[in-house]
Amino acid sequence: MLTRTAPTTGPDTGLLASLSAWTWPGTTPDGQQVAHLLLAHRLGRTSHDTLDAIEARMRHLAETLGGLARAEDPAPETLGTLMAVGSHILLRFPGARWGLKLPGHPQWTRLVHDSGRAALILGLDPLAQWADAPRVDAYLDAALARGRLLFGFACRTSRTT
């Protein structure tokens, strides 16, 4: 769900509306708890939504976020910010007029509040919006093996509404 933020320039509404998001709590390699957030483009609905076009949109989004890292590189803090809006978390993109309301259950939301960040995973390949946990796991495994995931951390702003 898109939520309006201050009008500026950045990723257009069409790109943001084409994104799907999945969230889950997990651990880092050193055993610390972390909130995970996967962003992927929905499956193409028009002839313009080729795999190459989808990848180009997702790479553009990665650049908008300040650049994301490959799996073998250290994950940077992104320019995307997480903002609490009531009991929900909103992902804001630099220069975007709209933010993306994230799905999140209380444990995930609490992790974001406590740690102040979420591990952001951006998939370069499309994934059906209705994908359940086993399909998301299979997507992550396949995309990681092919170098089709980019990583960073989105940090929470101190402002809440």
Side-chain angles (χ1 to χ4, degrees), residues 17-135:
S18 70
L19 297 176
S20 291
W22 294 264
T23 60
W24 67 94
T27 56
T28 61
D30 62 1
Q32 294 185 7
Q33 291 251 328
V34 67
H36 287 86
L37 164 60
L38 169 64
L39 294 179
H41 197 287
R42 295 179 186 172
L43 295 173
R45 292 186 280 181
T46 70
S47 61
H48 299 289
D49 290 333
T50 66
L51 293 178
D52 289 341
I54 289 171
E55 178 178 351
R57 289 181 201 135
M58 296 308 285
R59 288 193 183 279
H60 170 71
L61 188 61
E63 289 305 311
T64 299
L65 289 166
L68 299 177
R70 297 174 301 167
E72 58 272 9
D73 300 325
E77 285 193 8
T78 71
L79 299 176
T81 55
L82 300 167
M83 184 170 70
V85 179
S87 62
H88 301 283
I89 303 291
L90 176 71
L91 177 61
R92 295 190 59 194
F93 298 87
R97 183 175 190 178
W98 303 92
L100 189 64
K101 183 179 171 186
L102 301 173
H105 49 79
Q107 183 183 5
W108 184 85
T109 302
R110 193 171 26 261
L111 261 175
V112 170
H113 282 286
D114 292 348
S115 69
R117 67 185 193 159
L120 175 62
I121 306 163
L122 189 130
L124 297 176
D125 298 316
L127 179 60
Q129 182 179 11
W130 48 262
D132 58 8
R135 285 182 176 91

